[in-house]
Structure formats: structure tokens, C-alpha cells
Amino acid sequence: MAAHTPPAPRLIADLPSWVLGRAAARGRGLVAAALADEGMRMWHHAVLAAVAERGPVAQAELGRSLAIDPKDMVGVLNELQTEGYISREPDPADRRKNAITATAEGRRLLARCRRLADRANEELLAPLSSDERVQFLALLRRVAFTPDEPATQEATPRQ
């Protein structure tokens, strides 16, 4: 059973930024706990997902796109490579860079993690109807991203 979270101070309880932060923290906690069943951590999952979607991708580009410090990125990539989830090869276009690709095992792990993350997000959004979920995500995108960011494009709804 989850520990009870004490209520926020009244002076901040109705601030959208506070409520959004609490919802994000709850969502991260649910997803992190689900990913732990596969031995994955949040950053490892994010990096593996980005590599699978964009690979082969340069290490520096990957770090910038996920806003991960280069030193932290090296550690995450080292761990993913040690586990056999990614491969790093010199980039044929520029031998000074590494091109990172998801391995077949990495893609299988990512599929398992997606199912776990979907279940965690289902729990997070359980109080909302299907229509409310679509509306909620659309509103969140409008708040979270500036109009010139590619993330403002409509994502495929997952219900």
C-alpha cells in the first residue's frame, strides 16, 4: 500500500505548477516502479527509446535531445551497452563520433517496458474517461511545449 502524501500548504495547493508537479511526480513514481520490474531506470528507458526511434544516432545529439549531461549520458550508454541493449560504432560519416543503435535484445526490452509503462500510465489516468484522457493530453501538450517545438505535434493516442 502506498504511503499517504500529506496535503500541500493552502497557499500553493491551487497553483497549476504545483498540481502539475505533483501529478508528474506520481506518474514518474508509477512508471519507475513498473520499469524496475525489468531492471530498468527512467533515464535508461528514455535513452533506449530514443536510440530505437532515431538510431543510428550520434551520442552528442542523443544527449542534447534528452537534455542529459554528456558525462551522465556516457554512464547510461555504458550500462546499456554492457547489458547488450545498444551498440556503439564509429559513425561512418564522422569517425570522431559514435553512432548508437538499439540491438534486437534492446528492442525486445523496450517493448516489454512499454507495456509496463502503459499499465503504470493507465493507473495514473484511471480517474479520467477515455475522452477526458484525450483532452487532458492535448491540454498538457499546449502547456508543456512552445508552438515551435516538434513535440507539439499530435501524438498517437494510446488508450
Side-chain angles (χ1 to χ4, degrees):
M1 185 169 167
H4 173 71
T5 302
R10 283 182 290 193
L11 290 174
I12 63 171
D14 289 331
L15 293 174
S17 55
W18 177 263
V19 177
L20 186 59
R22 292 291 284 258
R26 181 168 177 255
R28 277 190 307 277
L30 289 168
V31 172
L35 294 176
D37 288 347
E38 283 290 338
M40 286 291 280
R41 292 185 301 251
M42 296 285 282
W43 277 122
H44 292 69
H45 180 246
V47 169
L48 184 58
V51 170
E53 182 177 310
R54 299 180 187 145
V57 62
Q59 185 170 317
E61 177 188 335
L62 190 59
R64 283 190 302 274
S65 71
L66 293 172
I68 299 176
D69 181 90
K71 289 177 275 188
D72 295 333
M73 178 59 75
V74 169
V76 170
L77 291 173
N78 285 345
E79 291 173 17
L80 289 172
Q81 186 173 17
T82 298
E83 295 296 325
Y85 301 135
I86 63 158
S87 65
R88 281 190 279 196
E89 307 281 331
D91 188 331
D94 185 346
R95 309 289 285 171
R96 297 169 297 170
K97 296 180 181 179
N98 281 323
I100 302 151
T101 307
T103 64
E105 182 57 32
R107 290 182 182 282
R108 285 189 291 272
L109 172 65
L110 193 56
R112 293 190 306 269
C113 287
R114 175 148 184 186
R115 288 189 294 275
L116 293 167
D118 283 348
R119 276 186 252 155
N121 279 288
E122 178 66 31
E123 182 179 342
L124 176 68
L125 299 180
L128 304 178
S129 70
S130 183
D131 288 343
E132 288 172 327
R133 290 174 189 205
V134 171
Q135 182 181 19
F136 178 68
L137 288 171
L139 293 170
L140 277 178
R141 284 187 194 98
R142 284 176 48 196
V143 170
F145 303 105
T146 63
D148 61 329
E149 288 182 281
T152 60
Q153 297 171 355
E154 286 298 313
T156 305
R158 295 189 310 186
Q159 301 173 359

